[in-house]
């Protein structure tokens, strides 16, 4: 086993908590949701799953739209995030929306994306197993969101 914890960016709070718990050896109160009733925990989990599904569908639509409308004159689509260029850019000019890729680059990106999807699915499964081990070891339910 090379890594003690592999985080999952779609479950960032759980990842941060799992990494902290694994390396510190104790559970901070902000990560401990054991106090939640099963029904409350289920509602939180369903809400988080629904939010992840919406993000994945949006990402897939954006990627599918970008590849379907590919070609030398296409511009990359940028997903809407909570990004404020006046404070988040740190004075760096963004050129992503105007960068033009070639058909060859588009094909390479598509090929990489398909391999990356497989790797991402495996890492999500490994993270879930690691999270279950941590929860069992510390007798806690790790939160989806910081309390």
């Amino acid at each position: 086993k090379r890594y003690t914890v592999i985080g999952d960016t779609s479950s960032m709070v759980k990842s941060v908590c799992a990494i902290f718990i694994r390396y510190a050896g104790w559970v901070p109160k902000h990560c401990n949701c054991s106090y939640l009733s099963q029904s409350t925990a289920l509602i939180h989990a369903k809400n988080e799953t629904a939010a992840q599904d919406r993000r994945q569908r949006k990402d897939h639509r954006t990627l599918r739209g970008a590849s379907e409308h590919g070609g030398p004159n296409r511009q990359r689509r940028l997903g809407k995030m909570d990004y404020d260029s006046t404070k988040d850019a740190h004075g760096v000019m963004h050129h992503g929306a105007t960068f033009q890729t070639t058909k060859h680059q588009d094909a390479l990106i598509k090929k990489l994306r398909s391999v990356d999807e497989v790797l991402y699915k495996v890492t999500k499964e490994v993270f879930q197993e690691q999270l279950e081990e941590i929860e069992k070891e510390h007798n806690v339910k790790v939160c989806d969101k910081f309390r």
Side-chain angles (χ1 to χ4, degrees):
K1 226 177 177 181
R2 186 170 177 187
Y3 298 100
T4 307
V5 178
I6 295 177
D8 176 5
T9 56
S10 68
S11 299
M12 189 56 75
V13 171
K14 282 188 174 187
S15 295
V16 169
C17 287
I19 291 166
F20 183 90
I21 294 165
R22 184 56 76 208
Y23 287 101
W26 58 278
V27 182
K29 68 180 180 177
H30 299 297
C31 296
N32 186 351
C33 283
S34 301
Y35 69 93
L36 293 176
S37 68
Q38 280 189 330
S39 60
T40 305
L42 185 59
I43 290 168
H44 284 290
K46 284 182 179 179
N47 288 343
E48 182 61 25
T49 300
Q52 288 176 8
D53 289 345
R54 284 191 301 275
R55 285 191 297 270
Q56 286 177 338
R57 283 193 305 270
K58 181 181 176 186
D59 290 346
H60 181 70
R61 284 192 309 267
T62 301
L63 287 169
R64 187 182 67 228
S67 64
E68 288 172 357
H69 304 294
N73 295 323
R74 129 176 119 68
Q75 291 185 349
R76 285 195 297 169
R77 298 176 186 204
L78 297 177
K80 182 172 181 347
M81 295 184 206
D82 293 333
Y83 178 79
D84 181 351
S85 63
T86 59
K87 65 180 181 184
D88 297 329
H90 307 287
V92 177
M93 186 175 178
H94 176 64
H95 297 287
T98 59
F99 182 77
Q100 311 248 335
T101 57
T102 66
K103 287 184 180 185
H104 178 68
Q105 289 170 325
D106 290 342
L108 292 173
I109 291 168
K110 185 177 180 180
K111 182 178 179 181
L112 178 61
R113 173 82 176 152
S114 65
V115 173
D116 189 51
E117 286 174 343
V118 172
L119 179 61
Y120 184 62
K121 182 179 178 188
V122 170
T123 58
K124 284 178 72 91
E125 291 170 3
V126 169
F127 174 69
Q128 187 58 42
E129 290 173 9
Q130 291 173 338
L131 185 63
E132 289 170 7
E133 288 174 13
I134 290 168
E135 289 177 332
K136 185 176 179 181
E137 180 182 330
H138 293 274
N139 195 30
V140 297
K141 175 69 178 149
V142 176
C143 299
D144 293 327
K145 296 182 179 183
F146 291 126
R147 304 187 302 124

